[in-house]
Amino acid sequence: MNPVVEPLVAIVTTDLSAVTRGRSVTQSRLEKVAGTGIGWLQANISLTPFNSIANPNPWGSSGDLRILPDLNARYRTSLTGAETPFDMVPGDIVELDGKPWLGCTRTMLRDALADLKAATGLSVVATFEQEFQIFGADFRAAHSLSMEALRRADPFAPQLMAALEQAGVSPEVIIAEFGDDQFEVTHAPTDALTAADRCVAIREITRELTRNFGWEATFAPKAAPDAVGNGVHIHFSFVDVNGDPVTYDPALPGRLSAKAGSFCAGVLRHLPALTVLTASSVSSYYRLKPHSWSSSYTWLADKDREATLRICPTVSIGGRDPARQFNIEYRAADATANPYLSLAAIIRAGLEGLKANLPTPPLVTGDPSEMTAEERQSLGLVRLPETLEAALEALQADTVVTGWFAPVFIQSFAGVKRAEIARFAGMEPAAICDTYRKLY
Ligand code: GLU
Ligand code: MG
């Protein structure tokens, strides 16, 4: 790079279509800019993934906002193969006087965490496990999970891990996954806000690196209707005010503490309404089907990958303590959903369960899709919405869930989703998946 060209840093926000957008300044100006941020506008929350603004939207052409960069959340790496470093700082959207803006999903997550802590003393530890596929690489066919499947892409995997490490997202494992040309990358558990920031950084760094290989990464939930899905699995656990783990209780079913059980009950109770917030596109609903290892019913289970809430295993090798490893995985999420909003909604639903002191839901074994309607009813199992439209209706029908947000925010969200539904009306699932594949 020409040494007189100063690299840029992007101040970003992630929107209701999970698109990360922002404005950039030269790196040396970041500190100065941080005090008042960069310009933004209300109508941006009504942007669709198709470079249009949902119409109608509650905002119109007037109004201005700022994005204040969170300097504690800077993700920078010079290892993406680009001319200048990747440098991204997530920010909070505020009014011109610095007051939080009602449409900022990062603020929603921070507020949900603060309310959970105030009401229960609990903090959330979280991690996002993300699957994606690579197109355009002309890879030789390879066996799922095989040595060859990862090595044929060399040096993609080590370069991605190095870039993520340098950016500070603490990557853990990279896998050549089960699907065709599918990969997965995980990061170390951390506080929930940082986890959502890392989720965004991982997507953007992965996309940039694959672009610079001349390939295309897609995090879309289904690259084709019958393809293996690309899931986003959100793992969570709780610590108390002293930082001690409180999710685990070996004396109780599933080893789930009473508090974690109440939290899960709240999530399952509101799950039909939450689904559109965590699986937000038309193609999301081709993934949320039985026998896809995604999730399809309001279902808590111990170590079962078909469940929506899966109690994850712990290892005792070398005498390791299970309490701190113990966590629950929410599997009805994908990368067309905003990760801040997803986590905020899960936490708000869990908090409802805690406030109502709900009992731990039954641990389901077996396959809900093969049970009789009576069996499902006795276990409280409800099918998740089967289309984006039904999911949006389920959200709007649950006034507890809509009550967590400003009405104009729900109106904006519904506007974007309706624009998405209208965009694909009458199209074949294969063409719909193909469009999303290129967009995500
Ligand atoms: N690909 C599956 C999904 O769509 C997940 C497979 C796994 O358990 O990792 O969520
Ligand atoms: Mg996986």
Side-chain angles (χ1 to χ4, degrees):
M1 185 189 54
N2 183 333
V4 300
V5 174
E6 190 188 343
L8 301 180
V9 51
I11 298 167
V12 300
T13 182
T14 297
D15 73 8
L16 302 183
S17 307
V19 177
T20 298
R21 312 187 198 248
R23 296 182 181 186
S24 296
V25 298
T26 48
Q27 289 181 351
S28 57
R29 290 194 65 235
L30 178 63
E31 297 268 337
K32 186 162 176 281
V33 164
T36 55
I38 52 151
W40 207 243
L41 50 146
Q42 283 82 346
N44 283 356
I45 203 179
S46 294
L47 282 165
T48 73
F50 323 112
N51 293 345
S52 61
I53 297 184
N55 189 13
N57 71 69
W59 307 106
S61 55
S62 64
D64 287 277
L65 298 164
R66 308 295 291 178
I67 304 178
L68 291 182
D70 180 348
L71 296 183
N72 296 318
R74 186 170 179 181
Y75 297 91
R76 185 177 188 280
T77 171
S78 56
L79 299 175
T80 63
E83 277 280 309
T84 61
F86 173 99
D87 199 351
M88 183 195 95
V89 185
D92 295 339
I93 311 177
V94 298
E95 304 275 2
L96 300 183
D97 61 4
K99 290 203 188 79
W101 183 52
L102 57 80
C104 175
T105 56
R106 197 166 182 269
T107 305
M108 288 173 199
L109 174 54
R110 195 186 285 104
D111 289 349
L113 290 164
D115 288 352
L116 176 71
K117 191 162 187 176
T120 65
L122 299 180
S123 296
V124 176
V125 175
T127 180
F128 285 77
E129 184 183 321
Q130 305 197 76
E131 295 172 332
F132 59 95
Q133 282 167 290
I134 292 179
F135 285 79
D138 210 15
F139 290 136
R140 277 169 55 92
H143 298 290
S144 301
L145 316 173
S146 69
M147 179 81 194
E148 184 186 355
L150 200 72
R151 294 298 299 167
R152 74 200 159 137
D154 200 58
F156 168 71
Q159 215 166 309
L160 178 61
M161 293 302 264
L164 295 175
E165 192 69 54
Q166 192 183 51
V169 305
S170 302
E172 280 197 329
V173 178
I174 186 155
I175 310 173
E177 250 284 12
F178 180 69
D180 289 342
D181 304 336
Q182 188 183 40
F183 299 85
E184 172 180 311
V185 67
T186 60
H187 69 84
T190 182
D191 70 274
L193 189 68
T194 304
D197 287 339
R198 286 182 181 179
C199 166
V200 170
I202 289 170
R203 281 180 203 164
E204 293 305 317
I205 291 170
T206 305
R207 287 180 176 131
E208 180 162 314
L209 179 63
T210 45
R211 254 188 335 261
N212 289 326
F213 271 85
W215 310 335
E216 193 194 336
T218 189
F219 289 78
K222 281 276 193 181
D226 54 358
V228 169
N230 294 309
V232 172
H233 303 158
I234 306 175
H235 293 253
F236 59 88
S237 62
F238 306 97
V239 291
D240 65 16
V241 283
N242 302 317
D244 292 325
V246 289
T247 323
Y248 179 75
D249 186 338
L252 293 177
R255 305 187 294 168
L256 204 57
S257 69
K259 280 189 174 159
S262 293
F263 186 98
C264 289
V267 173
L268 293 188
R269 174 175 284 186
H270 294 290
L271 190 55
L274 293 191
T275 310
V276 74
L277 303 174
T278 64
S280 303
S281 69
V282 174
S283 67
S284 299
Y285 296 84
Y286 305 132
R287 172 174 166 262
L288 298 180
K289 289 186 173 166
H291 311 141
S292 304
W293 288 25
S294 54
S295 61
S296 47
Y297 286 85
T298 55
W299 177 8
L300 170 73
D302 195 9
K303 304 192 237 8
D304 186 329
R305 287 178 179 78
E306 283 277 305
T308 303
L309 289 180
R310 168 181 173 250
I311 299 173
C312 295
T314 55
V315 292
S316 51
I317 299 167
R320 278 174 182 72
D321 177 13
R324 207 168 274 282
Q325 305 163 41
F326 194 70
N327 70 86
I328 301 134
E329 178 186 46
Y330 178 97
R331 295 174 69 88
D334 67 52
T336 61
N338 176 306
Y340 303 95
L341 184 58
S342 298
L343 254 180
I346 291 168
I347 290 163
R348 291 259 172 232
L351 179 55
E352 298 287 343
L354 280 160
K355 281 190 198 152
N357 215 2
L358 295 182
T360 299
L363 292 181
V364 176
T365 50
D367 181 347
S369 71
E370 279 166 20
M371 292 175 187
T372 62
E374 292 72 36
E375 281 171 317
R376 280 197 294 265
Q377 204 182 2
S378 70
L379 293 164
L381 295 171
V382 175
R383 180 74 172 91
L384 301 188
E386 297 186 52
T387 62
L388 182 61
E389 202 160 5
L392 187 58
E393 279 164 17
L395 169 68
Q396 288 172 314
D398 189 333
T399 52
V400 174
V401 175
T402 55
W404 303 330
F405 307 97
V408 70
F409 175 77
I410 293 293
Q411 215 182 323
S412 303
F413 182 86
V416 173
K417 295 304 128 193
R418 282 210 198 89
E420 224 162 309
I421 293 164
R423 165 76 175 74
F424 292 111
M427 266 171 75
E428 289 298 322
I432 295 172
C433 289
D434 200 52
T435 306
Y436 279 113
R437 175 177 76 72
K438 293 173 188 144
L439 292 171
Y440 286 90

